[in-house]
Amino acid sequence: MELDYIRNSAFNDQIYLYAKSTVKNIRSHLKTYFLFCARYNFEPLPATSDCIVCFSQFLSQTVSYPYIKQILSSIKTLHKIYNYDMIEKDYLIDTTLQCIKRKTARTPLHVFPILPDTLKSMLLLMDLDKPEDLALWTSYLSCFFLAFR
């Protein structure tokens, strides 16, 4: 066997380190990254700080902060496979990710309580002679008195 074949085989066998679903996710993330790099003329390997910042900002338009972190983790894995140093502790990358995290933060949805007066007003809109309305009313009362209190 040729030494190059053995090296390539060892390199290709690294894929078995991860579960199939993880490999699919990493491939999907890297495809997104490579398409971004091709579109905006960035060199994908080794990634520069500017490339990672722009890519993160690009992703923040459509995906959540945790998903951006997953994609960056896949890019970091790619760098490790090819023995490149990934820029990890870069001030610009860190601050960009913090800004994205704050910008995309969701405020919790505050739901108003259902009071007995609310139930009374709902009853006025229902015809309890109809089986559908009777079933709904029963479920509303069950939830009100049993589950949601």
Side-chain angles (χ1 to χ4, degrees), residues 97-117:
L97 290 175
Q98 287 175 4
C99 292
I100 290 170
K101 185 176 182 179
R102 287 195 180 123
K103 183 176 79 171
T104 60
R106 307 258 194 272
T107 56
L109 177 66
H110 295 287
V111 179
F112 294 107
I114 295 179
L115 303 171
D117 292 336

Side-chain angles (χ1 to χ4, degrees), residues 45 50 54 56 123 126 129 131 146:
L45 287 173
D50 185 45
C54 292
S56 300
L123 180 59
M126 298 188 155
D129 293 331
L146 299 174

